[in-house]
Amino acid sequence: CFFALKALNAQQAGAAAILIADDCNEPLITLNTPEETLATEYVQDIAIPSALITKSLGDRIKEALSNWEHVDINLHWREPLLRPDELVEYEFWTNGDNECGPTCDSQLEFINNFKGAAQILEQKGYTRFTPHYMTWYCPASFILAEQCKTQCINHGRYCAPDLKHYPNRGYDGKDIVIQNLRQACLFKVAKESGKPWLWWDYVTDFAIRCKWIDKYTKECADKVIRSLGIDVTKIDDCIGDTEADAQNPILEAEQKAQIGEGNREDVTMLPTLMINNRQYRGKLEKGAVLKAICAGFQDATEQAICSSEVLTDIETNRCSENNGGCWEDNIANITACRDTIRGRVCECPVVNGVKYYGDGYTHCESKHVYLTRKKPSLQTRDSGYTYCESKYISLVRKKLSLQRCNPSEIVVWAIVLGLGVAGAAGYAYYKYKILVRSLLRYLLPHRLKVLECEVIFIC
């Protein structure tokens, strides 16, 4: 049965942890989460740690236990990590496909949560991060097959499986390979400009701004790249001609990096995190990964970085440069960029209690209007007021509609309006009588004899 099912069975039997011994002497592999739907149903219920150990170690433990010996087993990060020093090198083997199911969901969630800490560590010179991408090749005899054409570029040299989780998702395995290549080239260009941490912003922004049908279009990708201040032409030059019958230097290097060498193991699954050339075996979660990275520092460096609040409270200060690639209104001094411990985010702001709406990258606007005074003009003779769309809200105008009222409300409004009209008419008639009487009092004593007919006319 699956390793995951073994772990669940051990947990239900009351185990606090499970060590699974290999059945033959061979290099260890990473315990992978099974992709089958039936198997993944119980994975979320596993709460105990699990690990695969070599056959030789398993035999020693079983022999000691069979002899009723006391066995102590300690698991700590210092053992698997090599070369503890002042700089930790780590790699993240990932994939540009964010719609491949639970694995891709957890991968993107990790990138979103870890982005802020990764950028801080990189900017301060504590770590050296490199993203990597796994590709396959199509056998020569199948290059002309439709499957290879839809999943590969450069005549079958670099391929990605087209996982049809969403039949109408609008892109094939070929598009995923190109997106992987674009991300690798962006990292290369950003690193050459001294800002390798921009990779984290591109991946998270692309996942937000380029969804579903438009997900892997070059136009959408270029918009994200430009918003980060990166030269798109350099990215295009790095990608090259994906239809050419030739090797791509970037993807060639990626395929070579997949193969283990010395103490470095082969990369066989996604996602995979490698710290100081050793595969990380823990949970892909911010806190756990930070602990593993901290284990790669020398004691003095670890004390300064990992034993403080530097990774939990500090902000990334990305908004101070190019406004973080977010929307801003320079005149009103309003921005959608916010620095957080998870990195910069582009979210439309709330100003004076009023919420702005939009994608946070290209536009933000309020949904309300306000009343403003126009400047006097000799050419116009109007009331001097106008309604406009605004970023400053002082008066919200609400339209009344009979369709929103029920019958009883309509009757009440009709009675109120009727009484109002009757009152206004009565008041007007009362003022009219007072005016006539005043005129008579003035005219009769002084002009009755001379203007008798006029007085009668007035009456």
Side-chain angles (χ1 to χ4, degrees):
C1 62
F2 291 117
F3 287 139
L5 184 55
K6 298 179 193 293
L8 180 64
N9 291 338
Q11 175 180 302
Q12 292 175 342
I18 177 174
L19 297 179
I20 302 173
D22 202 345
D23 59 352
C24 60
N25 290 311
E26 61 183 355
L28 294 178
I29 62 173
T30 299
L31 296 180
N32 192 13
T33 300
E35 297 296 336
E36 286 77 2
T37 304
L38 293 178
T40 56
E41 290 179 354
Y42 53 76
V43 170
Q44 60 185 2
D45 298 326
I46 299 174
I48 63 173
S50 59
L52 180 67
I53 62 176
T54 61
K55 182 178 185 300
S56 59
L57 176 59
D59 291 341
R60 286 169 53 198
I61 295 173
K62 286 188 288 185
E63 182 181 359
L65 293 176
S66 64
N67 295 330
W68 296 95
E69 297 177 14
H70 180 76
V71 178
D72 286 327
I73 300 177
N74 297 315
L75 176 66
H76 54 89
W77 293 116
R78 289 294 186 193
E79 184 68 22
L81 293 181
L82 300 176
R83 299 183 289 110
D85 51 26
E86 295 181 357
L87 178 69
V88 171
E89 299 178 6
Y90 69 106
E91 307 170 3
F92 186 50
W93 287 83
T94 180
N95 190 0
D97 186 4
N98 295 324
E99 304 291 350
C100 67
T103 299
C104 289
D105 293 340
S106 62
Q107 170 182 278
L108 185 58
E109 182 182 3
F110 167 72
I111 293 175
N112 283 323
N113 293 332
F114 194 70
K115 177 177 72 171
Q119 290 177 327
I120 294 169
L121 290 170
E122 196 77 14
Q123 290 171 2
K124 290 184 175 293
Y126 294 131
T127 60
R128 183 178 295 127
F129 166 75
T130 307
H132 284 294
Y133 300 89
M134 187 182 298
T135 60
W136 296 264
Y137 67 91
C138 192
S141 57
F142 292 91
I143 289 178
L144 298 180
E146 186 63 26
Q147 191 174 15
C148 281
K149 289 181 179 180
T150 59
Q151 298 184 11
C152 309
I153 65 173
N154 294 103
H155 284 239
R157 287 178 172 84
Y158 317 106
C159 312
D162 184 12
L163 303 176
K164 293 295 184 180
H165 287 278
Y166 302 94
N168 299 319
R169 67 180 183 174
Y171 58 92
D172 299 317
K174 176 180 179 179
D175 300 310
I176 297 172
V177 179
I178 295 175
Q179 172 61 7
N180 290 343
L181 178 57
R182 181 175 287 110
Q183 289 187 9
C185 285
L186 180 135
F187 177 77
K188 177 178 180 292
V189 173
K191 184 178 180 180
E192 290 172 352
S193 65
K195 301 176 182 178
W197 50 82
L198 291 179
W199 178 88
W200 297 88
D201 288 325
Y202 173 77
V203 173
T204 53
D205 288 359
F206 185 87
I208 296 173
R209 299 177 64 180
C210 306
K211 294 181 179 178
W212 298 101
I213 300 301
D214 296 329
K215 190 171 186 63
Y216 291 100
T217 63
K218 182 180 185 303
E219 292 75 17
C220 189
D222 287 349
K223 287 180 182 178
V224 180
I225 294 171
R226 289 191 185 95
S227 70
L228 298 175
I230 300 176
D231 189 349
V232 175
T233 58
K234 291 184 178 180
I235 306 293
D236 293 339
D237 291 342
C238 175
I239 293 174
D241 184 5
T242 58
E243 299 296 331
D245 186 4
Q247 294 182 347
N248 181 286
I250 299 294
L251 294 180
E252 280 294 310
E254 294 298 290
Q255 287 187 345
K256 291 179 181 178
Q258 286 179 232
I259 304 173
E261 184 177 352
N263 291 323
R264 181 187 174 94
E265 304 168 51
D266 292 348
V267 179
T268 58
M269 55 173 283
L270 294 176
T272 291
L273 184 68
M274 300 193 71
I275 304 174
N276 286 348
N277 276 334
R278 286 293 184 93
Q279 288 194 20
Y280 165 74
R281 308 289 184 178
K283 186 176 181 181
L284 196 62
E285 183 267 333
K286 176 183 176 181
V289 171
L290 280 176
K291 289 180 181 178
I293 289 177
C294 285
F297 290 117
Q298 288 180 343
D299 291 338
T301 308
E302 178 185 358
Q303 184 70 22
I305 301 173
C306 304
S307 300
S308 67
E309 300 299 322
V310 90
L311 294 179
T312 55
D313 293 338
I314 196 169
E315 295 182 348
T316 53
N317 296 321
R318 285 294 319 286
C319 294
S320 60
E321 182 181 347
N322 193 33
N323 198 49
C326 305
W327 171 88
E328 66 176 331
D329 186 332
N330 292 322
I331 298 176
N333 195 26
I334 300 175
T335 176
C337 189
R338 265 192 322 115
D339 278 311
T340 71
I341 60 174
R342 291 177 56 184
R344 78 94 174 89
V345 294
C346 297
E347 293 180 353
C348 291
V350 176
V351 181
N352 296 328
V354 177
K355 172 66 178 173
Y356 279 65
Y357 296 89
D359 62 7
Y361 295 93
T362 58
H363 75 281
C364 290
E365 61 183 0
S366 65
K367 300 292 185 180
H368 304 290
V369 295
Y370 79 111
L371 195 63
T372 181
R373 182 72 181 175
K374 292 198 306 187
K375 294 181 179 180
S377 173
L378 295 177
Q379 285 79 17
T380 58
R381 305 178 87 187
D382 57 16
S383 63
Y385 290 88
T386 181
Y387 279 97
C388 355
E389 255 189 31
S390 168
K391 299 182 180 63
Y392 309 99
I393 312 304
S394 54
L395 177 65
V396 178
R397 189 175 166 210
K398 189 175 182 180
K399 295 181 179 180
L400 296 176
S401 172
L402 290 179
Q403 285 81 357
R404 296 181 182 176
C405 306
N406 57 42
S408 60
E409 290 176 333
I410 296 175
V411 172
V412 172
W413 277 107
I415 294 174
V416 171
L417 291 174
L419 292 175
V421 171
Y427 179 75
Y429 178 71
Y430 169 72
K431 296 294 288 184
Y432 169 74
K433 290 180 65 177
I434 292 177
L435 176 62
V436 171
R437 288 176 182 174
S438 299
L439 288 172
L440 288 177
R441 288 194 187 98
Y442 172 76
L443 293 174
L444 287 177
H446 302 284
R447 306 179 66 183
L448 183 57
K449 294 180 181 181
V450 181
L451 301 173
E452 183 176 354
C453 62
E454 184 178 338
V455 172
I456 293 171
F457 173 77
I458 291 174
C459 294

